[in-house]
Amino acid sequence: MREILLKPTLNKFLDFSSFAEEFILDENDLVLTNEPIYQFFMEPLQLPCRFVFQERYGAGEPSEEMITDLFADIDQDSYSRVIAVGGGAIMDIGKLLAIRRTGSVHAIFFKEAPVERAKKLVAVPTTCGTGSEVTNISVAIVRGQAGETTKLGLVSDLLIPDDVCLIPDMLRTLPYRPFFSSVIDALVHAVESYLSPSRATMTSELFGVKAIEMILEGLRRVSENGSEARLEYLDEFLTASCYAGIAFLQAGCASVHALSFPLGGTYHVPHGESNYLLFGKVLEKYDQIDPDGKLAELKQLIGRVLDCPSEDALEEMAVLEDKILPLEPLHKYGFRPEDIEIFADSVLENQQRLVVNSYVPLTRELIVEIYTELL
Ligand SMILES: NC(=O)c1ccc[n+]([C@@H]2O[C@H](COP(=O)([O-])OP(=O)(O)OC[C@H]3O[C@@H](n4cnc5c(N)ncnc54)[C@H](O)[C@@H]3O)[C@@H](O)[C@H]2O)c1
Ligand SMILES: [Fe+2]
């Protein structure tokens, strides 16, 4: 069994200025971020780096067009290190700015051009969800053969950042909804890797369990003490999302991500939110089909943290999440009955890397059932 436990060096800083000082940010650094994050945390420091704001190239999650425009604007030879400061979108684009441009963005994503690392990459996550700072994946909305859009993950160990810098202070400005959507994304990473039938490793469970415990404890505190309680728990939320990233780097994500990708790709539902829409239903199906496998251990674990019998654990977790972010049906996001079959085909055609990690076989029939019941 081959295992990359952790490729980047992990660092933790009290604030952005301590990070900038320690990493000696200079004019050869390309800092990819969002303008509000720049204004709040970086502008006062008057750093000599080149700053690029992702939103100048289009709103939302990375797309083939957005990355193509970024490549056209930023000369590959004009920087020696990439500093990605932002959510998963920024991390994922930062990974692409650190590789050699061996072909078009489309060619790289569809494996017609190789991934070759060219620059140093430092990842500073400012959401507590994706774990992208430690993973070997970059996700983008791409165009398929028939011109349809979907999300696709480019996977290569050469995408893993060199340094990860966790700065919990930077989560202070993240608004409530993206904050908790990203927390639930991290919970999904931890749960999907915990249940991964064939790729779990010596350490994925260790990090997955710890992430699940820390995240559920944080959600419980916020449900009992109100949204401000998250501010006392920023370090734990950020650390847990990094742990969940380490877990899924080994064991992989699965059905929740596979089914959420066409939703995100077509209706631009933010990543964490689209996972949340599917999470409870997917676990409910797992429980109907194979309640006695690893899922039984997961229910015990959740029951222990939420202080409830394991047979109520999935329901209690769903109630807790719903208190923090009320769950909506898919049609509220634009999903239509005619999407069910199209999305089911797209999952099976484009998301095999995730489908193969499903806790129970993810058949077309099961996919259709899940989308239909969530409509
Ligand atoms: N590569 C991986 O391993 C991996 C894993 C999961 C998800 N992803 C990708 O990550 C993306 C989602 O990432 P995300 O959930 O972090 O959201 P995001 O990166 O899309 O950010 C959400 C919003 O929050 C804002 N924001 C981020 N940090 C902020 C802060 N501290 N203060 C104020 N505003 C802030 C951003 O500007 C953006 O508007 C998707 O594109 C998804 O496909 C990648
Ligand atoms: Fe995710």
Side-chain angles (χ1 to χ4, degrees), residues 26-265:
D26 68 20
E27 57 283 348
N28 296 314
D29 288 319
L30 176 72
V31 180
L32 178 71
T33 189
N34 294 122
E35 197 162 8
I37 300 176
Y38 165 77
Q39 285 168 341
F40 198 88
F41 295 101
M42 297 171 226
E43 195 172 24
L45 304 178
Q46 295 289 308
L47 297 164
C49 332
R50 173 167 181 196
F51 291 94
V52 173
F53 304 130
Q54 174 223 345
E55 60 271 36
R56 299 269 166 95
Y57 297 83
E61 302 196 338
S63 66
E64 200 175 313
E65 292 79 13
M66 186 192 287
I67 302 156
T68 303
D69 291 349
L70 266 158
F71 277 12
D73 250 20
I74 304 170
D75 183 351
Q76 171 125 264
D77 298 324
S78 65
Y79 57 97
S80 56
R81 185 168 63 166
V82 178
I83 316 274
V85 187
I90 298 279
M91 299 291 112
D92 285 7
I93 300 171
K95 288 172 176 175
L96 301 173
L97 286 168
I99 62 173
R100 198 159 285 119
R101 298 171 197 173
T102 52
S104 66
V105 176
H106 188 88
I108 294 173
F109 267 86
F110 284 86
K111 302 194 179 83
E112 290 153 8
V115 174
E116 292 171 13
R117 184 62 169 272
K119 315 277 177 187
K120 286 267 176 217
L121 175 60
V122 180
V124 185
T126 63
T127 60
C128 41
T130 71
S132 176
E133 66 275 14
V134 290
T135 70
N136 58 356
I137 308 167
S138 175
V139 184
I141 298 171
V142 295
R143 283 201 181 275
Q145 290 192 334
E148 81 289 3
T149 54
T150 190
K151 286 177 77 171
L152 205 61
L154 175 69
V155 182
S156 164
D157 289 354
L158 298 171
L159 295 173
I160 301 177
D162 301 289
D163 273 282
V164 171
C165 297
L166 299 182
I167 313 175
D169 179 60
M170 298 193 79
L171 292 178
R172 269 189 302 132
T173 51
L174 185 61
Y176 183 90
R177 196 169 185 87
F179 189 105
F180 284 104
S181 306
S182 77
V183 168
I184 292 180
D185 186 28
L187 181 60
V188 175
H189 295 155
V191 166
E192 297 220 282
S193 43
Y194 185 81
L195 296 176
S196 180
S198 56
R199 282 184 52 197
T201 66
M202 286 178 286
T203 53
S204 62
E205 181 160 325
L206 183 69
F207 283 96
V209 167
K210 189 67 188 165
I212 292 169
E213 286 173 356
M214 290 167 81
I215 293 168
L216 289 180
E217 169 61 19
L219 294 180
R220 196 187 58 73
R221 286 182 186 209
V222 171
S223 85
E224 283 173 10
N225 304 321
S227 67
E228 296 297 294
R230 75 186 191 278
L231 301 174
E232 303 298 314
Y233 205 73
L234 297 179
D235 194 343
E236 287 86 347
F237 275 132
L238 189 60
T239 306
S241 76
C242 185
Y243 285 169
I246 295 168
F248 92 83
L249 168 65
Q250 320 298 334
C253 284
S255 314
V256 177
H257 277 75
L259 268 69
S260 95
F261 274 7
L263 199 61

Side-chain angles (χ1 to χ4, degrees), residues 309-324:
S310 59
E311 55 271 25
D312 299 337
L314 296 182
E315 176 65 25
E316 288 286 326
M317 182 166 77
V319 168
L320 177 62
E321 292 160 357
D322 193 59
K323 260 195 205 166
I324 286 166

Side-chain angles (χ1 to χ4, degrees), residues 259 338-349 352 355 360-372:
L259 268 69
E338 52 269 41
D339 290 325
I340 295 171
E341 305 279 333
I342 300 169
F343 279 26
D345 289 336
S346 169
V347 168
L348 292 174
E349 192 184 320
Q352 277 303 321
V355 169
V360 300
L362 191 60
T363 59
R364 193 174 189 284
E365 196 185 357
L366 181 57
I367 299 171
V368 167
E369 211 174 286
I370 293 171
Y371 282 137
T372 306

